[in-house]
């Protein structure tokens, strides 16, 4: 079984990631988020791929600052969330929850993952087992809830919990070390957390990215996905609280960490 979807991680700015997607049969190429034009254009040149599509997850500057330069240099068409269209640069396609986007033979589902922002979207490639989650589900964490409500962000986390455990999670930032330091305060005696901290430190010491991760690892170690877990609830003395209350408590603790 050949993997028709190739994904290249492109570090941008101080701690952002863009991802270049290439469907090998049709040679259709897309980028998810454009924090900065230069490294993305340089990577495309190295790879010898011409960019057809730009996919935008949400409106924050650190995900779109390179957009106009990349669009001008490549002529790629731009696709973003319909609810964000009023505050994004001009879109060729507005995507809504439940829509499908086709990259050659590979298709992805667009899902609403509001919470960090209202109208944040994620791109889920079910066949290729690749999820582009930007600032919703992050490696060992989740985005700060700026525009939505805690309940909304918890509902978003539940959407991710339902994906296959083998799904690769491509998130938008290299925040894993600080996310892990926080996670360790929630479940300090969890051996999966301890193991992930060792692995994260080793990767960062070598200057390697810790993104992407995968859902199985996140389900075992990400406190924001584990808010419904009896062991996590016990660890913070909230055995009788609802899942949403536990999520809100953990997210609030992280805000103040
Ligand atoms: Zn953001
Ligand atoms: Fe961001």
């Amino acid at each position: 079984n050949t993997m028709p979807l190739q994904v290249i991680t492109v570090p941008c700015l101080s701690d952002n990631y863009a991802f270049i997607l290439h469907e090998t049969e049709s040679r259709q190429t897309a980028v998810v988020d454009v924090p900065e034009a230069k490294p993305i254009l340089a990577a495309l040149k190295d790879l010898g791929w011409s960019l057809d599509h730009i996919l935008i997850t949400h409106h924050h500057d650190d995900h779109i600052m390179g957009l106009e330069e990349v669009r001008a240099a490549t002529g790629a068409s731009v696709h973003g969330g319909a609810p964000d269209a009023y505050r994004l640069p001009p879109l060729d396609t507005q995507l809504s929850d439940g829509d499908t986007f086709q990259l050659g033979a590979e298709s992805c589902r667009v899902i609403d993952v509001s919470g960090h922002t209202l109208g944040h979207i994620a791109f889920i490639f079910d066949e290729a087992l690749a999820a582009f989650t930007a600032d919703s589900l992050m490696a060992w964490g989740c985005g700060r809830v700026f525009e939505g409500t805690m309940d909304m962000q918890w509902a978003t986390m539940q959407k991710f919990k339902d994906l296959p455990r083998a799904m690769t999670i491509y998130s938008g930032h290299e925040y894993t070390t600080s996310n892990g330091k926080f996670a360790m305060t929630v479940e300090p005696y969890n051996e999966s957390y301890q193991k992930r901290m060792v692995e994260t430190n080793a990767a960062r010491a070598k200057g390697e990215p810790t993104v992407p991760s995968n859902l199985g690892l996140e389900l075992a170690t990400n406190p924001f996905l584990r808010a419904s877990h009896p062991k996590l609830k016990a660890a913070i003395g909230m055995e009788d609280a609802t899942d949403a209350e536990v999520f809100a408590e953990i997210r609030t603790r992280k805000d103040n960490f």
Side-chain angles (χ1 to χ4, degrees):
N1 229 0
T2 54
M3 179 57 84
L5 186 71
Q6 279 180 264
V7 182
I8 308 295
T9 301
V10 184
C12 295
L13 304 173
S14 58
D15 57 32
N16 279 77
Y17 290 118
F19 301 99
I20 296 175
L21 285 56
H22 184 69
E23 198 279 311
T24 50
E25 313 262 308
S26 64
R27 301 186 54 79
Q28 286 276 300
T29 303
V31 66
V32 176
D33 286 345
V34 266
E36 189 182 8
K38 222 179 176 180
I40 293 169
L41 294 174
L44 288 165
K45 198 178 170 209
D46 282 352
L47 294 157
W49 298 344
S50 63
L51 191 68
D52 303 291
H53 301 289
I54 297 168
L55 298 169
I56 303 296
T57 60
H58 69 297
H59 73 93
H60 280 158
D61 268 357
D62 63 308
H63 298 256
I64 62 170
M65 277 192 296
L67 176 53
E68 292 306 357
E69 196 179 335
V70 172
R71 183 194 334 236
T74 63
S77 47
V78 183
H79 316 274
D84 260 351
Y86 76 96
R87 55 183 175 178
L88 285 173
L91 299 175
D92 296 292
T93 311
Q94 297 186 17
L95 300 169
S96 300
D97 182 63
D99 283 353
T100 300
F101 180 83
Q102 201 74 28
L103 184 71
E106 290 290 329
S107 69
C108 70
R109 287 184 291 125
V110 175
I111 63 169
D112 177 276
V113 291
S114 288
H116 175 68
T117 62
L118 292 173
H120 192 315
I121 53 176
F123 303 100
I124 313 295
F125 288 79
D126 291 296
E127 291 254 322
L129 289 171
F132 297 86
T133 61
D135 296 356
S136 54
L137 174 60
M138 307 185 85
W140 219 348
C142 79
R144 186 183 284 247
V145 179
F146 284 118
E147 296 178 3
T149 63
M150 292 292 189
D151 283 356
M152 205 182 271
Q153 184 70 45
W154 172 238
T156 285
M157 301 314 270
Q158 286 175 286
K159 292 182 186 180
F160 293 124
K161 284 174 68 175
D162 291 338
L163 297 173
R165 296 174 64 89
M167 183 74 67
T168 303
I169 306 297
Y170 295 89
S171 55
H173 289 272
E174 185 58 56
Y175 289 165
T176 316
T177 303
S178 58
N179 285 343
K181 282 181 187 156
F182 170 73
M184 293 297 293
T185 68
V186 179
E187 291 189 276
Y189 304 111
N190 184 313
E191 285 176 15
S192 299
Y193 284 49
Q194 294 165 3
K195 183 164 174 276
R196 188 173 188 179
M197 184 56 92
V198 170
E199 288 164 357
T200 298
N201 288 339
R204 296 307 295 150
K206 287 185 275 183
E208 291 169 1
T210 60
V211 173
S213 63
N214 79 80
L215 189 64
L217 179 62
E218 298 302 336
L219 290 171
T221 59
N222 189 320
F224 300 104
L225 284 175
R226 291 171 55 80
S228 56
H229 200 293
K231 279 188 183 161
L232 184 144
K233 288 186 179 182
I236 61 171
M238 291 183 74
E239 290 93 335
D240 299 326
T242 66
D243 302 348
E245 285 168 349
V246 173
F247 175 83
E249 168 65 20
I250 300 168
R251 189 53 256 182
T252 303
R253 286 189 189 187
K254 177 69 164 66
D255 292 348
N256 300 315
F257 183 66

